[in-house]
Amino acid sequence: MSMTLAVPVTVAIARRVDPGRASEMVAWMRAGTALAEAFPGFLGAGWVQSGPGSPEWHMLYRFADDDTLRRWEESPQRRWWLSSAQGIVEHTRVERRTGIEGWFDRPLEHSVDPVAPSAPPSPPRWKQAVTIWLAFFPLSLSATLLTSHFLAAVPLTARVLLMTLCLTPLMTYLVLPRITRALHWWLHGQPAPWRAL
């Protein structure tokens, strides 16, 4: 009776981003790592910029085996995370390695995949702007009404500071992911879901 030994898999991805948006890139990669950490089999991740002011970034993430890696790569969380960087990050190269050599040594197995040319293009900027506005307007209006009613005595600057501190995570983690999922068909020029029925 033969047993199949699970071999850890490391994925290395090269990405390009405008050097002026380096802080956004770091925040985006931290968010992706935080999402991946919740998946069974996750063994770690890291990233490095090629040099000061370079547009080139390299990211590694590692899973216990092919199955746990596949669950992460096919997850809706990862799809949302990747889509959140459309128009900012360009994916240029993907490399997979198995075994501990994925981090340090020569590979036992080694494959390099170019980024699929069939990846959907980023939605037009005007559609992105409309989507953000659709999420932001009702949230901002509600927060303004609530703070002006309950915190009328608080100075305007402090009220705005409080509002933005509350609204930013709400927009990032709750409202915007839901509205982009709901409008995915429109953002990418696909037929409305009810027409497909």
Side-chain angles (χ1 to χ4, degrees), residues 81-138:
W81 174 67
L82 289 173
S83 70
S84 71
Q86 287 183 354
I88 299 173
V89 177
E90 176 190 349
H91 310 280
T92 57
R93 180 181 169 97
V94 178
E95 182 176 343
R96 293 171 189 267
R97 292 184 176 186
T98 55
I100 188 123
E101 83 294 340
W103 290 108
F104 305 107
D105 306 328
R106 287 178 49 202
L108 299 173
E109 294 176 24
H110 182 87
S111 66
V112 175
D113 303 322
V115 173
S118 60
S122 299
R125 284 197 179 270
W126 70 269
K127 285 189 174 185
Q128 294 178 43
V130 168
T131 303
I132 291 167
W133 180 84
L134 286 171
F136 185 71
F137 175 72

Side-chain angles (χ1 to χ4, degrees), residues 8 12 15 20 25 27 34 37 39 42 47 66 69 71 77 94 111 123 130 145 150-151 157 159 161-162 188 195 197:
R15 295 183 163 108
M25 181 68 165
E37 283 172 349
F39 280 73
F42 177 74
W47 62 86
D66 281 321
L69 172 64
R71 280 195 282 278
Q77 292 93 325
V94 178
S111 66
V130 168
L145 291 171
F150 293 107
L151 303 173
T157 305
R159 279 200 323 242
L161 175 64
L162 182 63
H188 294 279
R195 290 189 180 172
L197 298 177

Side-chain angles (χ1 to χ4, degrees), residues 13-69:
I13 302 176
R15 295 183 163 108
R16 290 177 62 86
V17 69
D18 179 348
R21 306 185 84 164
S23 58
E24 291 173 69
M25 181 68 165
V26 170
W28 180 72
M29 288 188 287
R30 283 183 179 149
T33 301
L35 288 172
E37 283 172 349
F39 280 73
F42 177 74
L43 298 177
W47 62 86
V48 66
Q49 190 176 13
S50 291
S54 171
E56 299 287 338
W57 289 76
H58 301 277
M59 183 176 187
L60 289 173
Y61 58 88
R62 185 169 171 80
F63 277 81
D65 52 39
D66 281 321
D67 289 338
T68 56
L69 172 64

Side-chain angles (χ1 to χ4, degrees), residues 26 41 61 68 85 107 119 147 162 165 167 170 179 181 192 194 197:
V26 170
Y61 58 88
T68 56
T147 55
L162 182 63
L165 283 173
L167 294 185
L170 273 175
I179 200 162
R181 264 198 310 272
W194 55 85
L197 298 177

